[in-house]
Amino acid sequence: MRGIRQLAKHLDISIGTVSRALNGKPDVNDETRRRVLAAAEELGYVANQSGRSLRQGTTNVIGLMIESSKETLENGDNFFLGLTGGLQSVFARHKLDLVMLPCPSEEDSQEYLKRMVARRVVDAMIISATQRVDKRIDFLAKAKIPFVALGRSASGGNYTWIDLDFEGVAACAVERLISKGHRRIAIAAPSNDINLGYIFVDAYRQALERHGIEYDPALVIRVKSSEQGGYQAGDDLLGLEIKPTAIILIYELMAIGLYRRLVEAGIVPGRDLAVIGFREEPRARFLQPTLTCFRMSLRDLGVKLAETLLATMPAYAEFYPKGARNTIWPLELAPGESDAFTLNS
Amino acid sequence: MRGIRQLAKHLDISIGTVSRALNGKPDVNDETRRRVLAAAEELGYVANQSGRSLRQGTTNVIGLMIESSKETLENGDNFFLGLTGGLQSVFARHKLDLVMLPCPSEEDSQEYLKRMVARRVVDAMIISATQRVDKRIDFLAKAKIPFVALGRSASGGNYTWIDLDFEGVAACAVERLISKGHRRIAIAAPSNDINLGYIFVDAYRQALERHGIEYDPALVIRVKSSEQGGYQAGDDLLGLEIKPTAIILIYELMAIGLYRRLVEAGIVPGRDLAVIGFREEPRARFLQPTLTCFRMSLRDLGVKLAETLLATMPAYAEFYPKGARNTIWPLELAPGESDAFTLNS
DNA sequence: TTGCCACACCAAAACGTTTCCGGAAAGCGC
DNA sequence: GCGCTTTCCGGAAACGTTTTGGTGTGGCAA
């Protein structure tokens, strides 16, 4: 099938009418519409996206930008794939398609984004791994491209974002440990400039201070958010003069390396040191003792992301009443054995 | 910047000349070209992709189709992300962009593919997880869309594919085990219709028979390609009347579950049962004892995939001399402790 | 009858780009 | 000076679609 023109000729109808029939526009007789739809189905006609995009100035494609940093690659990450299910279930209702745009690790992420946007390959963007100061946000705002950020920047300013409830998680973890008698609680945070690290440590600090425990910077261990990072964290922890009795990990992946380092040192997690991880990671499920951690549904988060994004787009706003611009996404505590160690005795 | 027209007007040059200047076509004075490039840079002009695609009939986008099956999601998988690095490094040379197209698990993969292709959103496709009989291949061939399949179908027929060297891996694993005295070697293969399962088991069978060991179907354990599948495989293995002394796993992920089941049964991997895994998986790196397995560079595989694909596209064929249509990708043995168990004593 | 309106459709313009074709200007050999 | 080629550029068509404005038909009320 060569195009709408052929289809129109085949039906002996003008192309305008065919177009309106296919797109569910008014001003077309029911019988005519039926015929058009039937013929399109039969001949396997599907509208050429380029032509449509050119005319409408819209591509009907939403981009999910992915950082394929070395760290992400090493770790492997089902995070984005987990999101796609929820995203697509919402987008499908509006005949929108999702594409994942992996930013090459060699290319500057802002340059990449700029290229994708300037080429008009997507109508809107979802960005993630928000930096403390993230130039992508200014760029998208200035270019008037609808977007939602997964993760807030330091300013937290005037744009749409969804972020995980780091405050809640940190508070919950800290209080749980305190209730077991721990006073000297370490935290393993990421060493790069991603903002969630700062938020998490801040929340940890506040939770401590609420319970009258002095914040000790020495207990904040900055390492890579990876298995290796966890091992390194174990190393750093063992090097401390006064050893902590508990540790909170900002990425569960760290638990794998941490466990290994602990075992090497003859320390049994859960018995000699309480460990709490942050985000449930399939890869951490096998750990012995099982890791106490915080869970969430990636699919549900995807749905929320999609709905939030569409709410910012004029064409779809009617379906998604404008709620709050920013959402804090809750997580659920999943108790395990790794924080069984208690000092109350 | 509104379009090439504005740019042309600003330079007081015709749009045709501007277009030629930007695209590196001849028939443009060096000085003029310089001015155009400078102005484009200054005004931030980037060609609208829709207009270009419409005119050229080409999108300059390559799609990497991803199955986001429940299994993939549960497992988490950095496989595709690992591929993107290599793919993009090649595509970038030709100003091609890569998009990952995650097929919603609710949608039939062929329907999804058909939609993406009919819409002309990509010029070419990379498909993966090839089924034994894969309708996508016929469809793409008939639609004359350049594509390369990662994984061959049962027919192995008349299309371009790249596949891992299952024969080599299976033979190497079997021989390694035989040389340690094992005669009763089990294999854990996937239970779905993905073709690599069949290829792998066939190769395993042939390797056995080459060494005069009778093939016993009871030793082929079909389970899900996941951690749970590995646990199940352990279960099945323990239920066998005559226990095998070694097992080959088609996915390393299985090793996690298998180890757990073995430990539960008081069996120590590597001491009481030899275990060899197939594809190196970051998540399996922490296992104790370390897993003997086969490695490959995902990045290199991505490069090969990209080059193979471009070789099939007339517009790029000149850069990539037409080699063999099909490639068997080698893997490297990475010895670990899990197959230390030997019967030679 | 006349006027009005709703309905269903057609013709044409527009979206932004690339590419084909023709032609002006300049250079060159004779 | 003449014919030829080369160099460079402008004009216009074309890609496939949506959308706007216009048109003819028939029904209905005045």
Side-chain angles (χ1 to χ4, degrees):
Chain A
M1 172 48 47
R2 197 60 66 199
I4 200 174
R5 219 173 304 256
Q6 298 263 336
L7 185 57
K9 190 173 293 178
H10 177 260
L11 286 163
D12 202 30
I13 292 182
S14 83
I15 59 174
T17 305
V18 173
S19 173
R20 268 169 301 150
L22 289 173
N23 294 347
K25 295 288 169 68
D27 267 18
V28 64
N29 185 291
D30 283 348
E31 168 61 12
T32 308
R33 190 189 302 275
R34 202 194 49 71
R35 279 181 56 221
V36 172
L37 258 38
E41 172 74 21
E42 181 197 342
L43 301 182
Y45 168 80
V46 180
N48 177 304
Q49 187 59 39
S50 302
R52 161 178 290 182
S53 297
L54 181 57
R55 169 64 222 216
Q56 301 192 128
T58 186
T59 65
N60 294 327
V61 174
I62 310 289
L64 169 60
M65 181 168 166
I66 300 181
E67 312 285 321
S68 56
S69 68
K70 285 206 194 75
E71 241 168 72
T72 312
L73 285 186
E74 274 173 23
N75 298 345
D77 201 343
N78 71 330
F79 186 78
F80 295 110
L81 225 40
L83 243 36
T84 59
L87 289 170
Q88 287 177 319
S89 74
V90 174
F91 290 155
R93 294 206 286 268
H94 305 285
K95 296 191 184 302
L96 292 168
D97 277 313
L98 174 75
V99 301
M100 298 165 75
L101 303 173
C103 174
S105 45
E106 303 86 14
E107 192 171 356
D108 178 70
S109 71
Q110 200 197 357
E111 284 306 311
Y112 178 75
L113 180 64
K114 196 178 281 187
R115 226 178 63 227
M116 289 299 160
V117 165
R119 278 183 136 194
R120 296 286 138 82
V121 56
V122 296
D123 285 346
M125 268 282 179
I126 302 169
I127 65 174
S128 59
T130 312
Q131 302 289 303
R132 217 162 137 68
V133 175
D134 203 314
K135 291 187 298 181
R136 295 177 300 172
I137 292 168
D138 290 333
F139 169 72
L140 288 169
K142 205 164 289 175
K144 298 207 190 303
I145 305 294
F147 75 98
V148 50
L150 181 52
R152 66 204 116 151
S153 63
S155 76
N158 196 23
Y159 62 94
T160 307
W161 54 256
I162 295 181
D163 208 352
L164 305 185
D165 182 18
F166 299 104
E167 289 87 347
V169 166
C172 177
V174 165
E175 278 158 20
R176 189 175 164 92
L177 290 170
I178 288 178
S179 77
K180 297 190 179 199
H182 296 278
R183 310 275 302 169
R184 197 155 171 78
I185 301 167
I187 185 168
S191 53
N192 60 14
D193 207 41
I194 195 167
N195 197 33
L196 67 86
Y198 294 87
I199 297 174
F200 203 73
V201 172
D202 269 2
Y204 150 87
R205 173 181 193 157
Q206 286 171 26
L208 283 181
E209 289 175 349
R210 267 201 306 278
H211 289 81
I213 299 179
E214 199 182 351
Y215 167 76
D216 180 356
L219 293 181
V220 178
I221 303 173
R222 298 226 171 249
V223 290
K224 288 210 153 81
S225 302
S226 61
E227 190 197 328
Q228 282 82 356
Y231 189 92
Q232 180 65 43
D235 237 24
D236 292 1
L237 188 147
L238 291 170
L240 290 175
E241 296 196 10
I242 313 176
K243 305 265 182 305
T245 60
I247 186 168
I248 300 170
L249 307 173
I250 205 164
Y251 275 119
E252 284 200 31
L253 221 47
M254 294 175 173
I256 297 173
L258 175 68
Y259 269 39
R260 190 185 298 166
R261 184 67 189 91
L262 292 179
V263 168
E264 282 177 15
I267 298 175
V268 177
R271 198 194 65 188
D272 309 323
L273 178 76
V275 181
I276 294 187
F278 168 38
R279 200 188 80 201
E280 188 195 45
E281 243 285 347
R283 279 163 287 175
R285 277 198 301 241
F286 61 88
L287 283 172
Q288 289 294 343
T290 56
L291 193 66
T292 294
C293 61
F294 293 85
R295 284 202 186 123
M296 66 179 154
S297 160
L298 282 177
R299 189 183 169 88
D300 290 348
L301 178 56
V303 168
K304 181 67 180 177
L305 266 173
E307 289 176 348
T308 305
L309 177 63
L310 293 183
T312 71
M313 301 173 69
Y316 303 99
E318 51 171 323
F319 303 104
Y320 303 96
K322 194 151 193 155
R325 297 189 66 166
N326 305 320
T327 303
I328 297 288
W329 192 256
L331 286 91
E332 189 189 342
L333 176 69
E337 306 157 352
S338 64
D339 63 342
F341 178 39
T342 163
L343 295 175
N344 281 345
S345 58
Chain B
M1 174 47 47
R2 197 60 68 202
I4 199 174
R5 218 172 305 255
Q6 298 262 337
L7 184 57
K9 189 172 291 177
H10 177 259
L11 286 162
D12 202 29
I13 292 183
S14 83
I15 59 175
T17 304
V18 173
S19 172
R20 268 168 312 179
L22 290 173
N23 295 347
K25 294 288 168 70
D27 273 15
V28 168
N29 184 289
D30 283 348
E31 168 61 12
T32 307
R33 191 189 300 277
R34 202 195 48 71
R35 280 182 54 221
V36 172
L37 258 37
E41 172 75 21
E42 182 198 342
L43 301 181
Y45 169 80
V46 178
N48 177 304
Q49 187 58 42
S50 302
R52 161 178 290 182
S53 298
L54 182 57
R55 169 65 222 218
Q56 303 194 126
T58 187
T59 64
N60 295 328
V61 174
I62 309 288
L64 169 61
M65 181 168 165
I66 300 181
E67 313 284 321
S68 57
S69 68
K70 286 204 195 78
E71 242 168 70
T72 312
L73 287 185
E74 276 173 20
N75 298 347
D77 200 334
N78 72 330
F79 187 78
F80 295 109
L81 227 38
L83 243 35
T84 58
L87 288 169
Q88 288 177 319
S89 73
V90 175
F91 290 155
R93 293 206 285 267
H94 305 284
K95 295 192 183 301
L96 292 169
D97 277 313
L98 174 75
V99 301
M100 298 166 75
L101 303 172
C103 175
S105 44
E106 303 86 13
E107 192 171 358
D108 178 71
S109 70
Q110 200 198 357
E111 283 306 311
Y112 178 74
L113 179 65
K114 195 178 283 187
R115 224 178 64 227
M116 288 301 160
V117 165
R119 278 183 137 194
R120 298 286 138 81
V121 55
V122 296
D123 284 346
M125 268 281 177
I126 301 169
I127 64 174
S128 60
T130 312
Q131 301 289 303
R132 218 161 134 67
V133 175
D134 203 314
K135 292 187 299 182
R136 294 177 300 174
I137 292 169
D138 290 333
F139 169 72
L140 288 168
K142 205 164 291 175
K144 298 203 188 307
I145 306 293
F147 74 99
V148 51
L150 180 52
R152 64 204 119 150
S153 61
S155 76
N158 194 23
Y159 62 94
T160 307
W161 53 256
I162 295 181
D163 208 351
L164 305 186
D165 183 17
F166 298 104
E167 289 88 347
V169 166
C172 178
V174 165
E175 277 157 22
R176 190 175 164 90
L177 291 170
I178 288 177
S179 77
K180 298 192 177 197
H182 296 278
R183 310 276 301 170
R184 197 157 170 76
I185 302 168
I187 184 168
S191 52
N192 60 15
D193 208 40
I194 195 166
N195 196 34
L196 68 87
Y198 293 87
I199 297 174
F200 203 74
V201 171
D202 270 2
Y204 151 85
R205 174 181 192 156
Q206 286 172 25
L208 284 181
E209 291 174 349
R210 267 203 303 281
H211 289 82
I213 300 180
E214 198 183 352
Y215 168 75
D216 180 357
L219 293 180
V220 178
I221 302 174
R222 298 226 170 249
V223 290
K224 288 209 152 83
S225 302
S226 61
E227 190 197 329
Q228 282 83 358
Y231 189 91
Q232 180 66 44
D235 237 24
D236 292 0
L237 188 147
L238 292 171
L240 290 176
E241 295 196 10
I242 313 176
K243 306 264 183 306
T245 60
I247 185 168
I248 301 170
L249 307 174
I250 205 162
Y251 275 120
E252 285 199 31
L253 220 49
M254 294 175 172
I256 297 173
L258 175 69
Y259 269 38
R260 189 184 300 168
R261 184 66 188 90
L262 292 179
V263 168
E264 282 177 14
I267 298 176
V268 177
R271 198 193 65 188
D272 309 322
L273 178 78
V275 181
I276 294 187
F278 168 38
R279 197 188 83 202
E280 189 195 41
E281 243 287 347
R283 278 164 287 174
R285 277 199 299 242
F286 60 86
L287 283 173
Q288 290 295 341
T290 57
L291 193 65
T292 293
C293 61
F294 294 85
R295 284 202 186 122
M296 65 180 157
S297 159
L298 282 177
R299 188 183 170 89
D300 291 348
L301 178 56
V303 168
K304 181 70 181 174
L305 265 174
E307 290 177 349
T308 305
L309 178 63
L310 293 183
T312 71
M313 300 173 68
Y316 304 98
E318 51 170 323
F319 303 105
Y320 303 96
K322 193 150 193 157
R325 296 188 66 166
N326 305 320
T327 303
I328 297 288
W329 192 257
L331 287 91
E332 188 188 342
L333 176 69
E337 306 157 352
S338 64
D339 64 342
F341 178 36
T342 164
L343 296 176
N344 280 344
S345 59

